[in-house]
Amino acid sequence: MSNLPKTLNWRSVSSDIGTTKVSLKAENKRLRKQTMLFVVLFALLLPVTQQAKLSDFIDTYVNDIDLSSMKTCVFLGGESIDLVDPGDVDKGHKCTVDLPTVSDDERHAKEVCSSRIPYYITAVKHGKRTKCTFQINLKCKNEGYQQIHGKCYKVTKARFTWQDAQSACHNEFVKDFKPQVAIYYYSGLQNYFWDITGVYDAWVSVPELKDYFENPGNYKAFYVDAGAYKYDARSGDLLLDDPNQKHQVLCEYTPPMTRAEMFYLANVYSEIYPMEVFAGGAIIPSANMDTIQQVGPFGKVEHFSTKVFDEKCLSIGRIFNVESYPITALEEEFNDVKDHLTSQRFFLTNAYKNDGCHKGGYRQVNHDGKAFQVYKKGKNDNSQKGDFCDAHSFSLHQTGRYPTMASARAPVLCTLHTFNWNHGACPAGPKWSSKPVTFKRAYNTVFCHYINDNTPATNHEAQKRCEEFGTGLTGFDSAEEFEAVRKELKPQYPPGEGEYYPRTPYRLLSSGTRKVNGISQQVDDHYWLGGVSPCETHCFERTGEREIAGWNDAVAINNSFLNTYNHNGWAWKIDGKQFVSFRTDNNAFHVHKPPNPYTYMFFVCGVSAPLERSEKQRGKVQ
């Protein structure tokens, strides 16, 4: 290739367009060159103490700030890197520098700062010298990348054809991100490409090239810096060349969103959106109202989903370039945001249940696949019929959380999440239980089972014993989970009369009575479980017809397993409520309506593992 590229440079365009859209404004270029000269001289004359300061910065902030940000601070004369909020490292860092450029007023000062520093300018001071404070939120993780306006740039040493240049950028490994050929935007970006050392002439992507050239054909653009060409092709120009020619390539990727970036954006946008920023993040109602509906045409029950809520909140999150989700209405989250809610209206949340009257049936399938029980099961659980039967979703108000009735209309409450939830370890059970059996279910949920092998009880007594330590009679979502618990069952019979085998009538009372309502009692390795017939919760999902039985109180959600596994006595036609149990020696589920020979049984309690806030989530860029 000759020193002159095969096609037009910027000066081939009409002078008006070239002046307005392509060339740097004379004043801007003069100021930029003045600053760059200052930076170069400053770097050459940098005293040993300043060099030592950079190493000090690296030692202190290597886990929080990228090298390019620290260099910008040091080379422009910054004395220190400070926390934006001294009480919260997650709010980001800042640096204040003193530029040797005159500014007439605050607006002019901000223009001076913005033309030289590719970060958010949060404070300025005008005068004979211009003082700029810029905020450092994002971090370029890979060595050699330079941060410019929220993106990370790097130039290759090797030269490639246009096609190979794209592959060269893709092969620049950045975890969870795929670098691409840098997109060149005309307004402002060229001011900062000069800061990237080692750029001679490098391929860049110019999406709007057709607006600036007539008939560009198959030629591609490259950026000229130190490798200036003849015929007045100056540093900072863009030229066109045959894609088979070889140049360096400028690569870019967008670093992961951080809490600092989210807080900054939330504060900025809160001036034009009804947003509230709090210690844990930010909340915003969706832009329009949404209506939930429980009963479809002709009275048919329709299952409720909050998927549409996710879509609404994600659309809001795109304004901020960060993922956004409906609030889950877990007690801890509600306590975080309730003081920021207005008192005039309710806000819909992403917590819901599809049928049944137990408030323990409310659940949340979170954005990362984990499913949570919204209410903690306990003795204060008010599960009386009629309380929650018509409620599908939760709504939040300053004064509390409320079940939302059918056809309620309200905005969805979206959150810019800064944390995530994980299930912790199963706590130790009461003295009468064995070591808890921990099982990881679908949706990354964790469930704890507590086995009572030694004290038979009525269904009511067993339920009471479970509720005394915040659980309920257990359920299972799969055969694998059921088998994990079944193999741990070890029935232990207290002394009674006669021969003491599992199928022998068991001494129930101290008086030796063996009958209840005239019926002799026996245990036969039976265990009470948390299921009921006829089905009350999640009853229609498998066939559209009501299931024979269903799990209750959110101890399980897969009624398909309960109704398709081995059964014995399953088709009994007894009026009224029957309770699900399991018999170990027969490996089958049963339903029983007391009183009957099996009024007393062993039992298994169950509850979701406690929720714990995990490491604060670093929101993903859309």
Side-chain angles (χ1 to χ4, degrees):
M1 186 181 106
S2 67
N3 286 338
L4 179 66
K6 296 183 178 181
T7 186
L8 306 175
N9 64 22
W10 291 125
R11 298 187 179 277
S12 303
V13 192
S14 68
S15 60
D16 289 342
I17 295 177
T19 301
T20 57
K21 289 189 174 181
V22 180
S23 299
L24 291 170
K25 291 182 180 180
E27 173 66 10
N28 201 18
K29 181 177 282 190
R30 182 187 66 78
L31 292 174
R32 180 65 185 173
K33 288 183 178 293
Q34 180 188 59
T35 300
M36 288 307 301
L37 179 61
F38 163 74
V39 170
V40 171
L41 292 175
F42 185 85
L44 292 174
L45 300 175
L46 203 64
V48 176
T49 54
Q50 287 284 60
Q51 294 283 11
K53 185 199 304 182
L54 178 58
S55 64
D56 292 341
F57 281 0
I58 294 173
D59 292 340
T60 305
Y61 299 107
V62 65
N63 294 321
D64 303 304
I65 303 173
D66 65 348
L67 182 61
S68 69
S69 303
M70 289 185 269
K71 285 182 176 179
T72 299
C73 180
V74 171
F75 291 164
L76 293 180
E79 295 293 329
S80 64
I81 295 178
D82 305 306
L83 290 175
V84 171
D85 181 348
D88 188 353
V89 66
D90 287 327
K91 292 287 184 68
H93 297 77
K94 64 181 180 180
C95 172
T96 299
V97 299
D98 195 5
L99 300 180
T101 304
V102 176
S103 53
D104 301 326
D105 51 36
E106 186 172 330
R107 181 176 180 178
H108 186 199
K110 192 156 191 177
E111 289 177 351
V112 170
C113 295
S114 299
S115 69
R116 293 152 174 75
I117 303 172
Y119 300 89
Y120 297 125
I121 306 300
T122 57
V124 296
K125 186 177 181 180
H126 66 276
K128 294 181 178 181
R129 299 176 66 90
T130 301
K131 185 169 289 188
C132 316
T133 299
F134 60 92
Q135 189 165 328
I136 304 169
N137 294 342
L138 302 177
K139 180 180 179 182
C140 296
K141 295 185 177 181
N142 288 54
E143 185 177 353
Y145 276 91
Q146 177 87 16
Q147 186 176 162
I148 301 174
H149 288 312
K151 291 184 180 294
C152 300
Y153 295 88
K154 182 178 181 179
V155 65
T156 63
K157 294 181 180 179
R159 294 174 177 270
F160 304 91
T161 64
W162 170 255
Q163 184 173 358
D164 292 341
Q166 298 175 78
S167 299
C169 285
H170 292 335
N171 293 333
E172 277 282 330
F173 177 73
V174 179
K175 186 178 180 181
D176 298 329
F177 295 88
K178 196 171 186 178
Q180 61 181 2
V181 177
I183 299 176
Y184 188 94
Y185 295 105
Y186 303 111
S187 57
L189 196 56
Q190 62 268 48
N191 286 8
Y192 307 104
F193 274 172
W194 287 337
D195 291 340
I196 303 178
T197 58
V199 181
Y200 291 90
D201 47 84
W203 291 118
V204 290
S205 175
V206 187
E208 299 178 0
L209 193 60
K210 61 181 181 294
D211 295 335
Y212 291 84
F213 285 96
E214 293 182 3
N215 302 317
N218 293 323
Y219 293 105
K220 300 298 180 181
F222 66 97
Y223 169 80
V224 175
D225 195 346
Y229 287 77
K230 294 181 181 179
Y231 306 104
D232 202 24
R234 292 177 288 189
S235 181
D237 279 346
L238 284 184
L239 303 177
L240 294 178
D241 203 2
D242 186 313
N244 292 316
Q245 296 299 324
K246 292 185 178 181
H247 297 279
Q248 297 170 288
V249 54
L250 271 166
C251 304
E252 72 169 34
Y253 77 94
T254 304
M257 182 68 70
T258 63
R259 286 190 76 213
E261 182 79 349
M262 189 219 71
F263 274 115
Y264 177 85
L265 292 175
N267 277 312
V268 169
Y269 280 96
S270 65
E271 297 183 9
I272 56 175
Y273 288 97
M275 172 181 290
E276 291 286 347
V277 181
F278 63 102
I283 57 174
I284 182 173
S286 60
N288 59 348
M289 308 289 279
D290 201 80
T291 302
I292 68 164
Q293 186 173 1
Q294 177 180 4
V295 181
F298 310 108
K300 182 181 178 182
V301 175
E302 292 185 345
H303 288 289
F304 184 69
S305 169
T306 58
K307 184 177 181 180
V308 64
F309 293 179
D310 291 313
E311 294 169 352
K312 288 181 183 295
C313 288
L314 281 173
S315 66
I316 289 176
R318 291 189 181 100
I319 298 172
F320 311 101
N321 204 33
V322 63
E323 286 188 344
S324 176
Y325 300 92
I327 194 168
T328 64
L330 295 171
E331 191 69 36
E332 292 84 349
E333 286 194 9
F334 170 64
N335 289 335
D336 282 342
V337 306
K338 64 181 181 180
D339 293 337
H340 299 270
L341 302 179
T342 62
S343 58
Q344 287 79 17
R345 60 173 54 158
F346 291 88
F347 298 96
L348 297 178
T349 76
N350 206 24
Y352 69 96
K353 67 187 180 73
N354 274 326
D355 50 15
C357 297
H358 300 285
K359 78 176 184 180
Y362 276 99
R363 67 189 181 98
Q364 157 69 22
V365 179
N366 210 18
H367 58 274
D368 60 356
K370 296 184 177 69
F372 304 122
Q373 183 178 338
V374 173
Y375 274 109
K376 294 180 179 178
K377 178 63 184 173
K379 57 186 178 182
N380 294 325
D381 181 10
N382 181 359
S383 300
Q384 297 300 313
K385 190 174 181 60
D387 285 353
F388 292 90
C389 291
D390 297 325
H392 270 202
S393 179
F394 258 140
S395 63
L396 295 185
H397 186 270
Q398 268 189 329
T399 58
R401 307 186 300 172
Y402 299 94
T404 303
M405 308 305 287
S407 300
R409 185 167 176 80
V412 181
L413 188 63
C414 304
T415 62
L416 303 184
H417 277 272
T418 58
F419 49 82
N420 214 333
W421 295 95
N422 283 327
H423 287 285
C426 292
K431 292 181 180 180
W432 51 257
S433 71
S434 59
K435 181 180 178 180
V437 178
T438 301
F439 189 84
K440 187 174 182 179
R441 293 177 170 176
Y443 303 109
N444 296 316
T445 59
V446 177
F447 207 77
C448 311
H449 301 274
Y450 299 87
I451 301 169
N452 183 311
D453 283 311
N454 50 54
T455 312
T458 67
N459 184 273
H460 177 75
E461 291 170 346
Q463 183 66 57
K464 183 179 178 181
R465 297 289 293 276
C466 292
E467 290 182 354
E468 285 174 349
F469 74 107
T471 65
L473 287 173
T474 203
F476 310 101
D477 269 350
S478 65
E480 292 77 13
E481 181 180 9
F482 179 47
E483 182 60 27
V485 174
R486 191 178 77 86
K487 69 182 182 181
E488 299 297 329
L489 302 176
K490 299 179 177 62
Q492 302 171 30
Y493 288 86
E497 294 181 359
E499 297 179 346
Y500 308 123
Y501 295 100
R503 301 184 64 81
T504 298
Y506 166 59
R507 184 198 295 267
L508 299 173
L509 304 174
S510 59
S511 63
T513 302
R514 297 180 189 165
K515 293 185 177 181
V516 174
N517 294 337
I519 301 176
S520 296
Q521 299 297 300
Q522 57 192 75
V523 177
D524 290 356
D525 290 4
H526 274 77
Y527 287 78
W528 288 119
L529 300 175
V532 63
S533 179
C535 177
E536 294 182 345
T537 305
H538 302 292
C539 302
F540 301 91
E541 295 177 355
R542 185 170 63 97
T543 64
E545 301 292 331
R546 182 182 290 274
E547 301 281 12
I548 294 176
W551 303 115
N552 55 28
D553 289 340
V555 295
I557 59 175
N558 186 355
N559 284 331
S560 175
F561 166 65
L562 173 60
N563 285 274
T564 58
Y565 195 68
N566 301 330
H567 301 108
N568 189 340
W570 201 244
W572 288 356
K573 301 297 183 182
I574 302 177
D575 294 334
K577 186 178 293 187
Q578 304 175 78
F579 300 102
V580 175
S581 66
F582 166 71
R583 179 168 150 183
T584 60
D585 66 327
N586 202 20
N587 192 18
F589 292 131
H590 300 252
V591 288
H592 294 281
K593 180 182 179 181
N596 63 66
Y598 303 102
T599 299
Y600 288 79
M601 303 185 193
F602 301 116
F603 55 92
V604 184
C605 303
V607 69
S608 295
L611 293 176
E612 297 177 350
R613 281 194 177 177
S614 65
E615 179 183 357
K616 288 174 178 137
Q617 178 187 335
R618 309 300 177 180
K620 296 179 181 178
V621 174
Q622 295 290 344

